[in-house]
């Protein structure tokens, strides 16, 4: 949290600006020694308006205002950098991705040519690793996620492959205990028992959850819903004082800034973010420079492979 957010008000405030805009008050004329003292003079001075000390809440409110403005500016900066990183990552992939893929392919071919020439087990292992990088083999779970069960292809997958209609899911037959819980909850929480519209809305939302749990035959959830209804509606929290609300707002602003700081650090420390920081004013030229380097590496790999396969 910045020092402003910690409760230190800014040096410039609206009260000063408002004071400057007010018309100048008439200056008091100093009394001469010959002027008789007014009997009501002391009383007049005692009744004169004094500059009241600012309330602690006013000082805290200014700190909150400063912290809010600082957080807004920080969020704008972080989001701007995030968009820049995202755009640069997309351009990097579009322009340089094929070159990286070409380098991986050449590395695999070189490793395979070397393994074919030597027959060394270590060279064979390296060749396989290089080829796996070019064409990673997804696992069976990835290929057939939600398509396989313990007996092979799931019925839904078989139906789709054979262009047959997918069977609807099995109907759940609620147990007697589930039916009993459902009836009790429906009688207690039925929306028709509501006395006003807010209560009807609360009962409608609750009965919707009850119906969903009963449709799945979920006895445990029905028990939890029964306990929730027995506990009654959640009572609203007692209103906070002005100072409590301001302190709570400052705490939230501080937590929000911490989260944004973590995000900003992750963006800056990422590979793309680090590259972008190298040339923030001309990222296109940076991509062109990296592209030239990659083209040189491709030429070297191609020459090396040509020598090995001769």
């Amino acid at each position: 949290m910045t020092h402003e957010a910690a409760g230190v008000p800014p040096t410039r405030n609206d009260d000063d600006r408002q004071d400057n805009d007010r018309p100048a008050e008439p200056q008091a004329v100093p009394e001469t020694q010959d002027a008789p003292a007014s009997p009501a003079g002391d009383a007049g001075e005692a009744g004169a308006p004094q500059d009241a000390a600012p309330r602690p809440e006013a000082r805290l409110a200014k700190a909150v205002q400063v912290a809010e403005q600082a957080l807004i500016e920080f969020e704008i900066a972080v989001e701007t950098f995030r968009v820049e990183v995202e755009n640069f990552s997309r351009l990097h992939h579009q322009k340089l991705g094929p070159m990286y893929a070409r380098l991986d392919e050449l590395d695999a071919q070189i490793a395979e040519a070397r393994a074919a020439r030597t027959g060394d087990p270590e060279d064979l292992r390296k060749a396989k690793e290089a080829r796996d990088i070019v064409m990673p083999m997804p696992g069976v779970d990835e290929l057939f996620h939600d398509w396989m069960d313990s007996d092979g292809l799931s019925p839904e997958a078989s139906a789709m492959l054979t262009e047959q209609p997918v069977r609807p899911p099995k109907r759940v037959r609620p147990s007697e205990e589930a039916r009993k819980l459902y009836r009790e909850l429906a009688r207690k929480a039925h929306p028709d028992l509501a006395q006003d519209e807010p209560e009807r809305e609360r009962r409608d939302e609750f009965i919707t959850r009850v119906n969903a749990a009963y449709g799945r035959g979920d006895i445990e959830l029905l028990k939890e819903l029964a306990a929730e209804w027995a506990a009654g509606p959640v009572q609203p929290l007692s209103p906070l004082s002005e100072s409590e609300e301001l302190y709570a707002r400052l705490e939230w602003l501080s937590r929000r800034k911490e989260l944004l700081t973590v995000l900003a650090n992750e963006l800056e420390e990422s590979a793309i973010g680090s590259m972008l920081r190298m040339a923030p004013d001309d990222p296109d030229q940076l991509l062109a420079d990296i592209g030239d380097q990659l083209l040189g590496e491709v030429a070297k790999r191609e020459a090396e492979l040509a020598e090995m396969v001769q």
Side-chain angles (χ1 to χ4, degrees):
M1 180 185 297
T2 62
H3 67 280
E4 293 90 345
V8 180
T11 55
R12 179 184 61 81
N13 54 49
D14 295 335
D15 294 342
D16 295 337
R17 187 168 60 252
Q18 293 174 1
D19 290 341
N20 294 333
D21 295 338
R22 296 194 187 105
E25 297 181 359
Q27 299 294 325
V29 179
E31 297 180 356
T32 63
Q33 295 180 353
D34 297 336
S38 173
D42 294 339
E45 291 178 2
Q50 301 292 330
D51 292 337
R55 297 185 307 122
E57 290 81 0
R59 181 184 178 91
L60 191 58
K62 290 183 178 180
V64 169
Q65 183 180 11
V66 171
E68 287 174 341
Q69 292 299 320
L71 182 64
I72 290 173
E73 295 299 326
F74 189 39
E75 286 188 352
I76 292 173
V78 172
E79 179 63 15
T80 300
F81 186 59
R82 186 195 67 79
V83 171
E84 291 175 354
V85 169
E86 183 177 309
N87 290 337
F88 187 75
S89 176
R90 187 180 299 108
L91 289 174
H92 180 271
H93 178 73
Q94 291 175 351
K95 294 185 176 181
L96 305 183
M99 298 184 189
Y100 286 119
R102 177 61 177 164
L103 282 174
D104 289 340
E105 176 62 29
L106 289 171
D107 286 339
Q109 292 182 15
I110 291 172
E112 290 167 348
R114 183 179 297 110
R117 177 185 297 179
T118 65
D120 183 85
E122 182 64 17
D123 290 339
L124 293 172
R125 184 187 64 80
K126 292 180 179 179
K128 182 179 182 305
E129 289 181 353
R131 179 54 60 187
D132 290 342
I133 293 176
V134 178
M135 297 180 61
M137 177 62 68
V140 173
D141 293 339
E142 296 178 36
L143 285 172
F144 298 101
H145 180 63
D146 291 336
W147 280 60
M148 297 187 69
D149 53 23
S150 58
D151 299 326
L153 285 178
S154 65
E156 291 79 6
S158 299
M160 293 178 68
L161 290 175
T162 56
E163 298 183 356
Q164 298 296 321
V166 178
R167 292 180 300 176
K170 296 179 180 179
R171 294 183 59 84
V172 176
R173 183 176 178 80
S175 64
E176 183 60 33
E177 183 179 4
R179 287 196 291 271
K180 180 180 178 181
L181 288 169
Y182 172 73
R183 294 192 191 100
E184 292 177 354
L185 285 171
R187 293 190 185 102
K188 294 177 180 179
H190 199 282
D192 288 347
L193 299 176
Q195 301 296 322
D196 50 39
E197 189 59 29
E199 177 65 10
R200 172 176 287 277
E201 293 178 358
R202 183 177 79 91
R203 288 171 176 264
D204 280 336
E205 185 273 337
F206 184 79
I207 286 296
T208 299
R209 293 158 58 198
V210 170
N211 290 338
Y214 179 65
R216 296 192 300 269
D218 193 335
I219 295 178
E220 295 302 321
L221 181 54
L222 287 171
K223 291 180 179 179
E224 293 177 5
L225 290 170
E228 178 183 331
W229 186 260
V234 178
Q235 298 298 325
L237 298 176
S238 58
L240 300 177
S241 66
E242 182 180 359
S243 296
E244 290 173 335
E245 289 183 352
L246 291 170
Y247 276 116
R249 179 63 175 168
L250 277 178
E251 291 178 359
W252 182 88
L253 292 169
S254 177
R255 292 194 300 269
R256 176 64 177 166
K257 183 181 179 183
E258 291 175 359
L259 294 174
L260 287 172
T261 301
V262 172
L263 175 59
N265 291 336
E266 291 177 352
L267 289 171
E268 291 178 353
E269 295 173 2
S270 65
I272 296 297
S274 300
M275 293 174 61
L276 187 58
R277 291 203 314 272
M278 294 171 58
D281 298 329
D282 195 359
D284 292 335
Q285 184 58 46
L286 176 61
L287 286 178
D289 294 340
I290 297 176
D292 292 340
Q293 296 176 8
L294 292 177
L295 286 175
E297 293 295 326
V298 168
K300 291 180 182 178
R301 301 289 204 288
E302 289 176 342
E304 181 180 357
L305 180 62
E307 293 180 358
M308 297 182 69
V309 298
Q310 284 181 351

